[in-house]
Amino acid sequence: PVPIINRIHTFLWKSSSANNCNTYLINGPTRVLIDPGHSELFGHVEQGLDELGITLDDIGLVLSTHAHPDHIEAVKLFKNRSTRFALYEEEWQFVKDIEKYISAPISIDLDALSPDFFLIEGDISIQDIKLEVIHTPGHSPGGICLWGDGVLFSGDTLFNLGMGRYDLPGGNYSQLMDSLHNRLMALPDDTTVYPGHGSETTIGAERRANPFLQD
């Protein structure tokens, strides 16, 4: 099969005026969209898909690394389509637990974001795409990264010379440090990292230069 890295299309958010996330497409027999972002800012993703000749109806699966609105809200755009959506179960439970705190100020409709199935730690196969779900709490309780074929989608756990916030509800500094040091830094140095925000990097580059990973 074609390596994953040759199938990835990136839709990077570069505006300094909005906190939307990077979105990634793995273009395979089942097209997988990772972290669709805010619904009102989804136009740049839709334009990129259109340039590839892909419509929203062509997306078979949407995966979110965690349930912060800037990563998950545009899932609702797929709800009346055949697209399936998956999230880590602990993350969904966390969202339901804090619904009363987040739904009023930012108008999130949890029914429209309900997963079709839950991700669990371990391997997931999407036809010929094989990934490993790595639970990486710290930025959020059920945050995950997706790793496979020399590629890591790191969500808001690891950035280029940075790491995710841990001061939001459900964040935990010690868990984030454990996720970084004991989960992600166990991956090969030549792993290409596609983060939730900012530019791509590698595990080796972060091991050497990320200030949050230096002992």
Side-chain angles (χ1 to χ4, degrees):
V2 178
I4 288 177
I5 199 165
N6 294 335
R7 307 186 194 190
I8 295 170
H9 298 274
T10 62
F11 309 105
L12 306 182
W13 188 256
K14 299 178 180 179
S15 170
S16 60
S17 62
N19 183 31
N20 203 33
C21 72
N22 295 336
T23 299
Y24 301 101
L25 171 74
I26 305 176
N27 197 356
T30 295
R31 294 183 171 101
V32 181
L33 198 68
I34 298 172
D35 285 345
H38 274 307
S39 57
E40 70 271 21
L41 300 174
F42 190 73
H44 79 107
V45 176
E46 196 162 9
Q47 179 181 348
L49 292 172
D50 184 65
E51 291 170 358
L52 297 170
I54 297 172
T55 70
L56 298 196
D57 288 321
D58 295 326
I59 303 299
L61 178 64
V62 176
L63 302 175
S64 283
T65 57
H66 61 292
H68 287 160
D70 61 328
H71 287 251
I72 196 177
E73 190 189 21
V75 165
K76 66 185 182 183
L77 302 177
F78 295 88
K79 274 302 174 180
N80 294 322
R81 307 175 193 273
S82 60
T83 309
R84 304 188 76 197
F85 168 57
L87 183 72
Y88 202 70
E89 185 169 11
E90 185 176 343
E91 185 75 349
W92 184 242
Q93 186 58 53
F94 168 69
V95 171
K96 292 195 296 182
D97 289 344
I98 66 167
E99 176 184 6
K100 64 181 178 181
Y101 301 108
I102 66 172
S103 59
I106 53 181
S107 301
I108 284 186
D109 179 2
L110 289 190
D111 288 339
L113 303 180
S114 178
D116 295 295
F117 65 95
F118 292 115
L119 298 173
I120 60 173
E121 187 149 32
D123 295 334
I124 178 173
S125 294
I126 309 150
Q127 291 189 306
D128 65 343
I129 299 170
K130 300 188 185 303
L131 296 168
E132 180 181 346
V133 177
I134 305 173
H135 182 208
T136 53
H139 179 66
S140 62
I144 62 159
C145 297
L146 296 162
W147 177 66
D149 205 8
V151 168
L152 178 76
F153 299 97
S154 64
D156 282 6
T157 300
L158 176 66
F159 301 139
N160 189 334
L161 299 180
M163 67 177 189
R165 294 175 60 175
Y166 51 86
D167 59 341
L168 300 172
N172 183 291
Y173 175 78
S174 63
Q175 287 183 344
L176 183 56
M177 287 294 101
D178 181 71
S179 293
L180 288 167
H181 285 278
N182 297 323
R183 306 305 303 275
L184 299 190
M185 290 304 107
L187 300 178
D189 277 357
D190 61 356
T191 299
T192 300
V193 178
Y194 292 101
H197 304 272
S199 60
E200 68 183 70
T201 181
T202 66
I203 289 293
E206 297 311 301
R207 194 191 314 279
R208 292 188 298 271
N210 191 315
F212 300 103
L213 291 170
Q214 307 310 306
D215 294 326

